[in-house]
mmCIF file of all heavy atoms in Angstrom:
data_model
loop_
_atom_site.group_PDB
_atom_site.id
_atom_site.type_symbol
_atom_site.label_atom_id
_atom_site.label_comp_id
_atom_site.label_asym_id
_atom_site.label_seq_id
_atom_site.Cartn_x
_atom_site.Cartn_y
_atom_site.Cartn_z
ATOM 1 N N LEU L 1 4.526 103.364 223.915
ATOM 2 C CA LEU L 1 4.103 103.964 225.125
ATOM 3 C C LEU L 1 2.505 103.995 225.168
ATOM 4 O O LEU L 1 1.940 104.398 224.154
ATOM 5 C CB LEU L 1 4.574 105.533 225.125
ATOM 6 C CG LEU L 1 4.216 106.284 226.382
ATOM 7 C CD1 LEU L 1 4.735 105.723 227.580
ATOM 8 C CD2 LEU L 1 4.568 107.721 226.239
ATOM 9 N N PHE L 2 1.944 103.487 226.203
ATOM 10 C CA PHE L 2 0.398 103.420 226.293
ATOM 11 C C PHE L 2 0.114 104.589 227.293
ATOM 12 O O PHE L 2 0.728 104.752 228.339
ATOM 13 C CB PHE L 2 0.031 102.098 226.993
ATOM 14 C CG PHE L 2 0.387 100.937 226.167
ATOM 15 C CD1 PHE L 2 1.526 100.127 226.326
ATOM 16 C CD2 PHE L 2 -0.427 100.504 225.143
ATOM 17 C CE1 PHE L 2 1.834 99.088 225.584
ATOM 18 C CE2 PHE L 2 -0.271 99.506 224.278
ATOM 19 C CZ PHE L 2 0.978 98.747 224.622
ATOM 20 N N VAL L 3 -0.956 105.361 226.890
ATOM 21 C CA VAL L 3 -1.379 106.639 227.554
ATOM 22 C C VAL L 3 -2.803 106.608 227.915
ATOM 23 O O VAL L 3 -3.611 106.369 227.076
ATOM 24 C CB VAL L 3 -0.899 107.788 226.784
ATOM 25 C CG1 VAL L 3 -1.284 109.123 227.580
ATOM 26 C CG2 VAL L 3 0.556 107.812 226.451
ATOM 27 N N CYS L 4 -3.058 106.903 229.114
ATOM 28 C CA CYS L 4 -4.550 107.297 229.517
ATOM 29 C C CYS L 4 -4.443 108.397 230.337
ATOM 30 O O CYS L 4 -3.542 109.191 230.297
ATOM 31 C CB CYS L 4 -5.155 105.985 230.388
ATOM 32 S SG CYS L 4 -4.405 105.725 232.011
ATOM 33 N N MET L 5 -5.578 108.808 231.164
ATOM 34 C CA MET L 5 -5.579 110.014 231.780
ATOM 35 C C MET L 5 -4.635 110.090 233.080
ATOM 36 O O MET L 5 -3.750 110.993 233.123
ATOM 37 C CB MET L 5 -7.003 110.384 232.311
ATOM 38 C CG MET L 5 -7.191 111.828 232.912
ATOM 39 S SD MET L 5 -8.858 112.251 233.174
ATOM 40 C CE MET L 5 -9.399 112.488 231.451
ATOM 41 N N GLY L 6 -4.721 109.077 233.928
ATOM 42 C CA GLY L 6 -3.974 109.278 235.220
ATOM 43 C C GLY L 6 -2.902 108.203 235.333
ATOM 44 O O GLY L 6 -2.183 108.338 236.356
ATOM 45 N N ASN L 7 -2.790 107.302 234.450
ATOM 46 C CA ASN L 7 -1.765 106.184 234.475
ATOM 47 C C ASN L 7 -1.925 105.294 235.696
ATOM 48 O O ASN L 7 -1.044 104.917 236.167
ATOM 49 C CB ASN L 7 -0.398 106.818 234.361
ATOM 50 C CG ASN L 7 0.727 105.851 234.203
ATOM 51 O OD1 ASN L 7 1.787 106.026 234.588
ATOM 52 N ND2 ASN L 7 0.474 104.789 233.320
ATOM 53 N N ILE L 8 -3.172 104.955 236.110
ATOM 54 C CA ILE L 8 -3.277 104.020 237.229
ATOM 55 C C ILE L 8 -4.324 102.837 236.859
ATOM 56 O O ILE L 8 -4.409 101.994 237.592
ATOM 57 C CB ILE L 8 -3.767 104.689 238.446
ATOM 58 C CG1 ILE L 8 -5.156 105.435 238.369
ATOM 59 C CG2 ILE L 8 -2.805 105.662 238.983
ATOM 60 C CD1 ILE L 8 -5.790 105.850 239.572
ATOM 61 N N CYS L 9 -4.942 102.945 235.654
ATOM 62 C CA CYS L 9 -5.991 101.829 235.236
ATOM 63 C C CYS L 9 -5.591 101.271 233.989
ATOM 64 O O CYS L 9 -5.168 100.266 233.721
ATOM 65 C CB CYS L 9 -7.376 102.488 235.333
ATOM 66 S SG CYS L 9 -8.066 102.874 236.905
ATOM 67 N N ARG L 10 -6.001 102.119 232.841
ATOM 68 C CA ARG L 10 -5.913 101.557 231.500
ATOM 69 C C ARG L 10 -4.551 101.461 230.950
ATOM 70 O O ARG L 10 -4.216 100.387 230.409
ATOM 71 C CB ARG L 10 -6.740 102.435 230.579
ATOM 72 C CG ARG L 10 -8.280 102.272 230.949
ATOM 73 C CD ARG L 10 -9.030 103.264 230.058
ATOM 74 N NE ARG L 10 -8.726 104.771 230.456
ATOM 75 C CZ ARG L 10 -9.167 105.801 229.877
ATOM 76 N NH1 ARG L 10 -9.890 105.675 228.833
ATOM 77 N NH2 ARG L 10 -8.916 106.978 230.270
ATOM 78 N N SER L 11 -3.699 102.472 231.116
ATOM 79 C CA SER L 11 -2.382 102.402 230.531
ATOM 80 C C SER L 11 -1.419 101.345 231.214
ATOM 81 O O SER L 11 -0.719 100.611 230.642
ATOM 82 C CB SER L 11 -1.736 103.781 230.342
ATOM 83 O OG SER L 11 -1.674 104.495 231.537
ATOM 84 N N PRO L 12 -1.456 101.282 232.601
ATOM 85 C CA PRO L 12 -0.641 100.274 233.200
ATOM 86 C C PRO L 12 -1.150 98.877 232.864
ATOM 87 O O PRO L 12 -0.470 97.888 232.690
ATOM 88 C CB PRO L 12 -0.676 100.472 234.669
ATOM 89 C CG PRO L 12 -1.736 101.543 234.885
ATOM 90 C CD PRO L 12 -2.110 102.221 233.582
ATOM 91 N N SER L 13 -2.439 98.709 232.641
ATOM 92 C CA SER L 13 -3.073 97.362 232.219
ATOM 93 C C SER L 13 -2.407 97.061 230.815
ATOM 94 O O SER L 13 -2.076 95.988 230.618
ATOM 95 C CB SER L 13 -4.558 97.424 232.118
ATOM 96 O OG SER L 13 -5.047 97.607 233.437
ATOM 97 N N ALA L 14 -2.473 98.009 229.897
ATOM 98 C CA ALA L 14 -2.033 97.853 228.528
ATOM 99 C C ALA L 14 -0.512 97.483 228.607
ATOM 100 O O ALA L 14 -0.043 96.600 227.896
ATOM 101 C CB ALA L 14 -2.258 98.970 227.691
ATOM 102 N N GLU L 15 0.210 98.239 229.402
ATOM 103 C CA GLU L 15 1.663 97.951 229.562
ATOM 104 C C GLU L 15 1.873 96.491 230.014
ATOM 105 O O GLU L 15 2.720 95.734 229.492
ATOM 106 C CB GLU L 15 2.237 98.971 230.516
ATOM 107 C CG GLU L 15 3.862 98.674 230.728
ATOM 108 C CD GLU L 15 4.331 99.630 231.825
ATOM 109 O OE1 GLU L 15 3.732 100.577 232.275
ATOM 110 O OE2 GLU L 15 5.591 99.398 232.083
ATOM 111 N N GLY L 16 1.158 96.057 231.099
ATOM 112 C CA GLY L 16 1.282 94.706 231.614
ATOM 113 C C GLY L 16 0.904 93.725 230.684
ATOM 114 O O GLY L 16 1.698 92.580 230.496
ATOM 115 N N VAL L 17 -0.240 93.886 229.881
ATOM 116 C CA VAL L 17 -0.645 92.851 228.916
ATOM 117 C C VAL L 17 0.355 92.713 227.776
ATOM 118 O O VAL L 17 0.794 91.700 227.298
ATOM 119 C CB VAL L 17 -2.020 93.357 228.417
ATOM 120 C CG1 VAL L 17 -2.435 92.325 227.083
ATOM 121 C CG2 VAL L 17 -3.132 93.080 229.372
ATOM 122 N N PHE L 18 0.822 93.911 227.329
ATOM 123 C CA PHE L 18 1.704 93.877 226.240
ATOM 124 C C PHE L 18 3.051 93.400 226.578
ATOM 125 O O PHE L 18 3.746 92.622 225.818
ATOM 126 C CB PHE L 18 1.913 95.318 225.647
ATOM 127 C CG PHE L 18 2.464 95.306 224.237
ATOM 128 C CD1 PHE L 18 1.932 94.689 223.185
ATOM 129 C CD2 PHE L 18 3.655 96.041 223.924
ATOM 130 C CE1 PHE L 18 2.397 94.666 221.871
ATOM 131 C CE2 PHE L 18 4.179 96.007 222.625
ATOM 132 C CZ PHE L 18 3.602 95.316 221.727
ATOM 133 N N ARG L 19 3.559 93.724 227.789
ATOM 134 C CA ARG L 19 4.802 93.101 228.294
ATOM 135 C C ARG L 19 4.758 91.616 228.397
ATOM 136 O O ARG L 19 5.710 90.937 227.918
ATOM 137 C CB ARG L 19 5.134 93.751 229.630
ATOM 138 C CG ARG L 19 6.556 93.331 230.225
ATOM 139 C CD ARG L 19 6.848 94.027 231.440
ATOM 140 N NE ARG L 19 6.777 95.449 231.416
ATOM 141 C CZ ARG L 19 7.557 96.325 230.941
ATOM 142 N NH1 ARG L 19 8.539 95.847 230.344
ATOM 143 N NH2 ARG L 19 7.267 97.638 230.949
ATOM 144 N N HIS L 20 3.707 91.021 228.869
ATOM 145 C CA HIS L 20 3.473 89.555 228.893
ATOM 146 C C HIS L 20 3.490 89.006 227.405
ATOM 147 O O HIS L 20 4.196 88.031 227.204
ATOM 148 C CB HIS L 20 2.133 89.372 229.462
ATOM 149 C CG HIS L 20 1.752 87.770 229.619
ATOM 150 N ND1 HIS L 20 2.208 87.067 230.697
ATOM 151 C CD2 HIS L 20 1.140 87.056 228.860
ATOM 152 C CE1 HIS L 20 1.785 85.879 230.482
ATOM 153 N NE2 HIS L 20 1.077 85.809 229.446
ATOM 154 N N MET L 21 2.815 89.653 226.560
ATOM 155 C CA MET L 21 2.810 89.205 225.120
ATOM 156 C C MET L 21 4.139 89.231 224.419
ATOM 157 O O MET L 21 4.600 88.217 223.873
ATOM 158 C CB MET L 21 1.836 90.062 224.310
ATOM 159 C CG MET L 21 0.492 89.752 224.554
ATOM 160 S SD MET L 21 -0.584 90.885 223.581
ATOM 161 C CE MET L 21 -2.222 90.263 224.081
ATOM 162 N N ILE L 22 5.050 90.334 224.706
ATOM 163 C CA ILE L 22 6.304 90.309 224.126
ATOM 164 C C ILE L 22 7.305 89.363 224.659
ATOM 165 O O ILE L 22 8.032 88.849 224.030
ATOM 166 C CB ILE L 22 6.830 91.764 223.987
ATOM 167 C CG1 ILE L 22 7.197 92.345 225.269
ATOM 168 C CG2 ILE L 22 5.980 92.703 223.042
ATOM 169 C CD1 ILE L 22 8.241 93.510 225.240
ATOM 170 N N ASN L 23 7.156 89.097 226.006
ATOM 171 C CA ASN L 23 7.982 88.193 226.707
ATOM 172 C C ASN L 23 7.686 86.850 226.089
ATOM 173 O O ASN L 23 8.552 86.003 225.861
ATOM 174 C CB ASN L 23 7.764 88.220 228.223
ATOM 175 C CG ASN L 23 8.381 89.460 228.848
ATOM 176 O OD1 ASN L 23 9.245 90.061 228.284
ATOM 177 N ND2 ASN L 23 7.912 89.734 229.944
ATOM 178 N N GLU L 24 6.417 86.402 225.910
ATOM 179 C CA GLU L 24 6.027 85.214 225.459
ATOM 180 C C GLU L 24 6.481 85.020 224.056
ATOM 181 O O GLU L 24 6.827 83.840 223.524
ATOM 182 C CB GLU L 24 4.469 84.947 225.572
ATOM 183 C CG GLU L 24 4.112 84.852 227.037
ATOM 184 C CD GLU L 24 2.964 83.757 227.168
ATOM 185 O OE1 GLU L 24 2.235 83.494 226.360
ATOM 186 O OE2 GLU L 24 2.984 83.216 228.210
ATOM 187 N N ALA L 25 6.538 86.111 223.267
ATOM 188 C CA ALA L 25 6.945 86.048 221.786
ATOM 189 C C ALA L 25 8.454 86.080 221.679
ATOM 190 O O ALA L 25 8.942 86.024 220.587
ATOM 191 C CB ALA L 25 6.329 87.154 221.111
ATOM 192 N N GLY L 26 9.198 86.329 222.861
ATOM 193 C CA GLY L 26 10.667 86.364 222.797
ATOM 194 C C GLY L 26 11.121 87.621 222.293
ATOM 195 O O GLY L 26 12.210 87.637 221.593
ATOM 196 N N LEU L 27 10.424 88.684 222.337
ATOM 197 C CA LEU L 27 10.757 89.952 221.637
ATOM 198 C C LEU L 27 11.209 91.125 222.715
ATOM 199 O O LEU L 27 11.295 92.192 222.320
ATOM 200 C CB LEU L 27 9.675 90.506 220.855
ATOM 201 C CG LEU L 27 9.197 89.623 219.693
ATOM 202 C CD1 LEU L 27 7.975 90.198 219.010
ATOM 203 C CD2 LEU L 27 10.424 89.562 218.660
ATOM 204 N N SER L 28 11.341 90.709 223.972
ATOM 205 C CA SER L 28 11.652 91.675 224.902
ATOM 206 C C SER L 28 12.945 92.440 224.758
ATOM 207 O O SER L 28 13.126 93.570 225.273
ATOM 208 C CB SER L 28 11.565 91.108 226.379
ATOM 209 O OG SER L 28 12.539 90.001 226.441
ATOM 210 N N ASP L 29 13.840 91.940 223.938
ATOM 211 C CA ASP L 29 15.133 92.544 223.733
ATOM 212 C C ASP L 29 14.976 93.552 222.568
ATOM 213 O O ASP L 29 15.902 94.258 222.336
ATOM 214 C CB ASP L 29 16.271 91.548 223.461
ATOM 215 C CG ASP L 29 15.969 90.565 222.298
ATOM 216 O OD1 ASP L 29 14.725 90.307 222.018
ATOM 217 O OD2 ASP L 29 16.873 89.969 221.736
ATOM 218 N N VAL L 30 13.905 93.507 221.841
ATOM 219 C CA VAL L 30 13.799 94.415 220.698
ATOM 220 C C VAL L 30 12.540 95.403 220.740
ATOM 221 O O VAL L 30 12.372 96.275 219.936
ATOM 222 C CB VAL L 30 13.779 93.754 219.361
ATOM 223 C CG1 VAL L 30 15.103 93.100 219.045
ATOM 224 C CG2 VAL L 30 12.617 92.744 219.411
ATOM 225 N N ILE L 31 11.752 95.194 221.756
ATOM 226 C CA ILE L 31 10.483 96.053 222.039
ATOM 227 C C ILE L 31 10.559 96.558 223.421
ATOM 228 O O ILE L 31 10.537 95.901 224.373
ATOM 229 C CB ILE L 31 9.172 95.326 221.723
ATOM 230 C CG1 ILE L 31 9.174 94.692 220.393
ATOM 231 C CG2 ILE L 31 8.081 96.202 222.094
ATOM 232 C CD1 ILE L 31 8.069 93.843 220.133
#
C-alpha cells in the first residue's frame, strides 16, 4: 500500500508505476 496525504498525486503515481513494474515482471498474480 502506497500512502500520501490526499491520495491524488504521489500515492496513485507510486501505485501506477509499481503496477506497471509488477505486470512487466509477471508478478501481478502474487503481488
Side-chain angles (χ1 to χ4, degrees):
L1 181 66
F2 297 98
V3 182
C4 68
M5 186 171 288
N7 193 216
I8 61 166
C9 294
R10 296 172 291 172
S11 58
S13 293
E15 179 184 355
V17 167
F18 196 60
R19 186 174 309 283
H20 181 84
M21 288 178 176
I22 65 159
N23 286 341
E24 293 221 330
L27 296 170
S28 57
D29 57 334
V30 293
I31 300 172

